[in-house]
Amino acid sequence: EDIPLIQNALDNLTGGGAPRENMGKPMFDLTNSPGEPAPEIIPGGQWFNLPAGRQVLNLQELRGKVVLIDFWTYSCINCIRTLPYVTKWYDTYKDQGFVVVGVHTPEFEFEKVTENVQTAIKRHNINYPVAQDNNFATWRVFQNRYWPAKYLIDKEGNIVYTHFGEGDYDITENTIRALLGLDKSAETNNPTRGDVRSPEMYFGTSRLENLTNEQTASSKAKLYQAPTNLKLNEFALEGKWQFDGEKIKLVGNQGSIKLKFFAGNVFMVASSNSPVQFSVNLDGEHSASGDILESQLYDIVN
């Protein structure tokens, strides 16, 4: 999401300010630099998966351990694809002085809801501690700008490695092993994104870019009719819809979204207060159907 539209939106969330030197890209060769002190976790909501009797967790008390801080949010497909690796690292090395702390910093309002985060933690089999960061306090002190983002902290409490986005799982794991005093023997099959040309798209007016020029966003309920043809990476609406800064809302019982895309998979973030049925037509033919039961990411084309 390293594009001007997204970076401007992140600046609005975090208050702007120049990033810390070397933050925003993989940093620090372990052999050449001692790293820099990690800021403290500032929870903005509930803690999950803490040891019995504990209410909070802080980095100061984790000195002497290797700590991975993982910024994520549960409806981000990029974050979701990294979770199997993170949970495996935790299960593999937790008895050797390795700790993972997930920092759940929400992109959307519904991701601030404690019950939704708890459901996602169970769905992805996350057993390590997770802190809600609903007010972006921990995000700000780390001067983070990415989902997902990983900050690896050595036994002295210094950030010695970062990784942003997906991939390089073997490099990250071997860095963990090195900090634990183990040999660098991890070999991970690193998936690639392939030739994915359609970008992440937003329906809310604060980040709206891909709505067809033949339609305009309205903050009041408006009846839309989709054009016959769309350009690549354009979407159009059919039925009655209402826009706000973060999303579009279907008004009534029926509506559709038409999208011309180039990608192997399509995911949609959707939310409903009651079960809603949806169906997907791909190139004019029915390809999938399902129910929107909770606020989460749905895999609609695979």
Side-chain angles (χ1 to χ4, degrees), residues 95-172:
D95 295 330
Q96 301 178 58
F98 178 60
V99 178
V100 176
V101 179
V103 178
H104 186 273
T105 311
E107 186 174 9
F108 302 106
E109 283 297 316
F110 64 78
E111 291 176 306
K112 296 180 179 180
V113 179
T114 298
E115 291 78 12
N116 291 349
V117 180
Q118 179 71 76
T119 299
I121 288 172
K122 291 180 179 180
R123 182 167 60 247
H124 296 293
N125 300 311
I126 296 173
N127 297 316
Y128 49 80
V130 174
Q132 285 186 278
D133 185 32
N134 282 355
N135 55 12
F136 278 71
T138 303
W139 177 289
R140 289 189 182 95
V141 295
F142 273 81
Q143 297 187 16
N144 185 49
R145 296 176 69 86
Y146 299 91
W147 287 286
K150 292 167 178 56
Y151 295 80
L152 194 55
I153 301 169
D154 67 12
K155 296 179 181 180
E156 287 71 46
N158 296 313
I159 299 173
V160 293
Y161 170 87
T162 63
H163 188 271
F164 305 98
E166 302 178 55
D168 288 341
Y169 301 110
D170 52 348
I171 296 174
T172 303

Side-chain angles (χ1 to χ4, degrees), residues 262-276:
F262 181 85
N265 298 77
V266 177
F267 301 87
M268 179 180 67
V269 176
S271 175
S272 177
N273 294 326
S274 59
V276 173

Side-chain angles (χ1 to χ4, degrees), residues 1-17 19 24 139 143-147 207:
E1 299 184 37
D2 193 12
I3 59 176
L5 176 71
I6 302 303
Q7 295 304 332
N8 289 337
L10 288 173
D11 284 341
N12 291 334
L13 287 171
T14 61
W139 177 289
Q143 297 187 16
N144 185 49
R145 296 176 69 86
Y146 299 91
W147 287 286
R207 289 183 277 182

Side-chain angles (χ1 to χ4, degrees), residues 185-222:
S185 61
E187 294 184 4
T188 306
N189 180 21
N190 285 297
T192 59
R193 294 180 63 185
D195 190 13
V196 179
R197 298 180 185 176
S198 291
E200 192 167 28
M201 302 179 190
Y202 294 87
F203 295 143
T205 54
S206 63
R207 289 183 277 182
L208 183 64
E209 282 194 321
N210 299 88
L211 181 66
T212 176
N213 290 332
E214 297 186 35
Q215 296 184 341
T216 57
S218 174
S219 60
K220 297 181 180 180
K222 179 180 177 180

